[in-house]
Each structure stands twice: as C-alpha cells, then as structure tokens.
Amino acid sequence: MKAITKQYFCLIVCCISSFCAASDFSASDFAFQDLLPDSLQMHGFLTQGIFHSSDNNMYGKSDDGLSPGLTEIGLNLSYRPMDRLTVAAQGLYRRAGDVDPGSFRLDYGLVDLSILDIDDLRVGLRGGRVKIPYGLYNETRDVSFTHPGILLAQGIYFDRSRSLFVSMDGGALYFDHTDEWGDLSYKLVFGMPQADKEIMIAVLGPFSQGELDGKPGFATQLNYEMMGGRYVFAVSYVDLELQYDPVKDDSIGAGYLSFRPLVFSAQFNGEKFGLTGEYLYQWNRFSGFGRSFPDKESATQSWYVESTYRFKPQLQGAVRYNVLYLDNDDKQGDKVERLGVPDHGIYAKDWMVSLRWDVTYSWMLRAEYHRIEGTAWIPSADNPDPNSTQKYWDLYGLQLSYRF
C-alpha cells in the first residue's frame, strides 16, 4: 500500500510540473479565432485522465496500478452563412479503457434554422446528428470545463453507455422565451440513437458478438432559469429502443431492449456556493434474448446531491453523494445473488471529493477521490468477471484539460 501511495504522489508531482510548464506556454498562444471571419467559429479541447483504484478497474487496468485510459480530443466548427441559418459540427476522438480502445466519431453535425426570432421569443429547427437534451450536463459532458468533477454522477450519466445518450440522427424543434420572470426553453428531438459495440458490451456483456441497431426514438426537455441562471430547473425524458441481431451460433437470441429515463434537475449558482441535485427514474425492458437473458421489466432509480464552493477565482472544490439502484425491486441485490451474481453488482453508493484549479482560461488541472460501495456502474469491458469485483473500493483520478 505504501508503494502505491508513493507512486501516486510522484504522479501528482509530475502532472503539476508539466501543467505549470504548459500554462506558461499558453500565455504566448495566439488566438485562433482572431484569424477567422466572424461568421466562422472554431473551438477545441483536449482532456487526459489518469486513474488508480484500490479494487476493480476503471478506464483500463487501474486496480492497484495507474491507467492513463481516458483521453478525449474534440474540434468543433460553426458557420453562419446568413442571420437565421447556422451549420455546426464536432469531431471527437475518445479512448476509454477497454470499453473504447480509441475511435473517431462525429459527435454532432447539424443545420440550425431559426424560423421565428422576435424580441423575447425564438423558435427553430435542427436537422442532422443532434445532441440529446438530458439532465443538466449531457449536451456538454465532453467539455470538462463545463461541469464539476472528473466523473459526472454515474448513476445518471453512465460513461459505459455514453454514446447511446449523446446524440440522435434526425431532427429537433426548439423554442426559447425570455421575460421578466426568467428564461424558458423547450427541446424536442426525434431520430435514431447511436448504437455501437460500446453499448452492446455494457448491456449484454463482453461476450456478445452480434450487432445492436437503433430504432426510432425521441427526447424532450423543459428548462427554466431565473435571475440569469442563478436558479435552474429542468425535466427531461428520453424514449430509446434497440434491436439485437445475433451471429451464427450466438448464445443470445434476437431481442429488443428499451430505456425510458425521466430526470428531474435543480441547481443553485451563487457567487461562491453552488448546489445541484438530480433524480432519475428509468423504465427498462428486455425481451426475446432467450435463456441467457430472460424477458424482464425493471426500473432503475438514481439521485445525487452535489455542492461546490469557490475558494478563489481559480480554485473550486466539490463534494457529491450519488446513489444508484439498477433494479428498484432488488436494491440490495438479494435476487441476483441467488442467481450466482454478486449482490453489489446491482447498486452503487458513491462519495466524491474533487478539487479544480484553473491556472489560466485555457488550462485546468483537477484531482478527485471516490469512496464507493457497489459496482453497478463500472464497465463490464474492464471487469469481465463480475465475481472478481469487490464491494468496497476507492478510486483516485487526475485530469489535465486544455481548451481554445
């Protein structure tokens, strides 16, 4: 244990040293945007995370070791050829342990047409690959500067099934209304969800060999902000369905699965103190997969409360408690334990403490500690044998982020 602590301390020192050197360089960075016309905007980000865990694996082989398994690099462009028309897209490279060994993808790519724009009301349409409005952080979850903590609350923002809830191929209707009482916005997205191997492994396990295809679904969100964002309230609902196509001699049959999460969100943003809470209730349905996965309907429940405090303009701390029950009727895992699966695989209770340092506008360093009971949200690709996982475990993380 002492060797691990010493190794982790050396890693912190090295990261801080390299970060300080990088922040000195950033002072001489030129502004890319100054070279572009006003109608064209270009932004990007880069994030590298390093993790160590006392047990279980997160973003690679972190158990009793160090894993540099989380890398995200994004570049987004937006072009406004006329007042009411905008074209925007973001490309993303992401590496996340054995869940995603490294891949490029189109995160979103859309055409936005404002069909009505008067004093206090704006109505518009979007088409293409459109971001899914879900909770407070889903639409900006890849940009680490936009949320507290390295990891979002995993009971609501699952990293292991991230791609399913990021975007849809289809269209969206939105409107924004502003008056003396606050800002009201509404979004409705219809389209095909992104189903890939990452989702298949997360849902059906690491030994599934077929393909998952998305079925038409929708997402909707109502958001209300008061006093310039000091108070934020939102309700989100998503309806997604997937179909599994097995390969020859597959142990899993052709089946369907659906997820219908409902999320309530509330947030207070003070000058120094912030408080956020979100609650998830999700209906799940599995059917047609055969004896390996008997037909089942269940409900997932999760909630978290998170507090932030800004000690200085560049220094912010956060504390969060997150609870997740994959099956609301089996909160302690008694039923799955009788099937030979560890009881702790169906729930998770997570205390998190995080410290963020914004040395410059462009560079950020963050450190984070989790004390966790349960393994409901750990990636099965990184932990293929559930019987080897541990109920109580610690997770440490360091993150270096850059944006322009």
Side-chain angles (χ1 to χ4, degrees), residues 274-290:
L275 186 64
T276 302
E278 293 192 275
Y279 172 80
L280 162 80
Y281 194 90
Q282 176 175 297
W283 294 269
N284 312 300
R285 184 171 181 268
F286 296 75
S287 62
F289 292 99

Side-chain angles (χ1 to χ4, degrees), residues 385-400:
D385 181 8
N387 291 301
S388 67
T389 59
Q390 299 299 312
K391 183 175 183 178
Y392 296 98
W393 56 296
D394 301 295
L395 177 65
Y396 305 84
L398 278 176
Q399 182 185 65
L400 177 65

Side-chain angles (χ1 to χ4, degrees), residues 79-378:
Y79 175 57
R80 195 171 188 179
M82 56 185 67
D83 288 342
R84 295 194 175 188
L85 182 65
T86 302
V87 181
Q90 176 170 290
L92 180 71
Y93 170 81
R94 190 169 194 266
R95 181 172 60 93
D98 290 335
V99 176
D100 189 347
S103 62
F104 292 92
R105 67 190 71 184
L106 179 65
D107 213 30
Y108 65 85
L110 57 91
V111 176
D112 186 319
L113 176 63
S114 178
I115 58 178
L116 179 63
D117 195 349
I118 56 179
D119 293 340
D120 56 2
L121 178 64
R122 185 168 66 104
V123 180
L125 295 171
R126 291 176 181 145
R129 180 161 292 180
V130 184
K131 283 279 192 175
I132 294 177
Y134 175 74
L136 297 175
Y137 299 113
N138 192 61
E139 292 178 276
T140 59
R141 64 188 298 170
D142 296 317
V143 185
S144 59
F145 290 85
T146 63
H147 54 79
I150 298 174
L151 297 181
L152 289 167
Q154 290 299 291
I156 296 178
Y157 304 97
F158 286 96
D159 261 20
R160 67 181 186 183
S161 57
R162 168 198 171 278
S163 59
L164 183 62
F165 287 92
V166 167
S167 55
M168 288 183 176
D169 291 337
L173 168 69
Y174 67 89
F175 80 79
D176 303 302
H177 174 67
T178 302
D179 59 25
E180 59 183 323
W181 302 104
D183 302 322
L184 181 68
S185 65
Y186 176 74
K187 298 174 183 176
L188 177 62
V189 179
F190 282 96
M192 302 290 287
Q194 304 301 305
D196 55 18
K197 187 176 181 181
E198 175 183 338
I199 301 301
M200 185 175 67
I201 292 175
V203 177
L204 300 178
F207 304 109
S208 52
Q209 300 296 320
E211 292 185 357
L212 272 181
D213 296 318
K215 310 292 286 184
F218 73 91
T220 184
Q221 183 182 75
L222 183 66
N223 183 282
Y224 180 60
E225 298 187 10
M226 300 170 56
M227 301 176 64
R230 189 176 181 88
Y231 299 93
V232 181
F233 304 94
V235 58
S236 314
Y237 178 74
V238 184
D239 190 324
L240 300 177
E241 185 174 347
L242 304 172
Q243 176 182 351
Y244 179 72
D245 296 321
V247 297
K248 185 179 180 180
D249 299 326
D250 203 326
S251 61
I252 303 175
Y256 294 86
L257 56 150
S258 64
F259 305 104
R260 296 181 174 89
L262 175 65
V263 180
F264 297 94
S265 310
Q267 187 174 68
F268 167 75
N269 296 297
E271 182 178 352
K272 289 190 175 182
F273 174 76
L275 186 64
T276 302
E278 293 192 275
Y279 172 80
L280 162 80
Y281 194 90
Q282 176 175 297
W283 294 269
N284 312 300
R285 184 171 181 268
F286 296 75
S287 62
F289 292 99
R291 283 182 290 181
S292 299
F293 287 88
D295 293 359
K296 181 180 180 181
E297 293 187 13
S298 64
T300 296
Q301 183 180 198
S302 180
W303 60 269
Y304 76 89
V305 176
E306 183 172 63
S307 175
T308 59
Y309 188 79
R310 191 172 298 279
F311 302 99
K312 294 182 178 181
Q314 295 83 20
L315 190 64
Q316 176 179 285
V319 178
R320 180 176 69 225
Y321 182 62
N322 180 204
V323 175
L324 165 65
Y325 300 110
L326 290 181
D327 188 341
N328 206 37
D329 293 329
D330 190 21
K331 291 184 176 180
Q332 301 305 316
D334 297 331
K335 295 180 181 178
V336 298
E337 190 174 28
R338 290 195 291 269
L339 299 175
V341 179
D343 59 351
H344 57 77
I346 204 167
Y347 72 90
K349 301 175 182 179
D350 176 15
W351 277 103
M352 181 276 286
V353 179
S354 178
L355 188 64
R356 167 177 171 170
W357 179 27
D358 293 309
V359 175
T360 70
Y361 170 82
S362 297
W363 291 93
M364 177 188 70
L365 181 66
R366 185 148 48 193
E368 188 165 298
Y369 167 71
H370 294 254
R371 176 58 179 170
I372 308 162
E373 176 190 348
T375 58
W377 49 259
I378 64 172

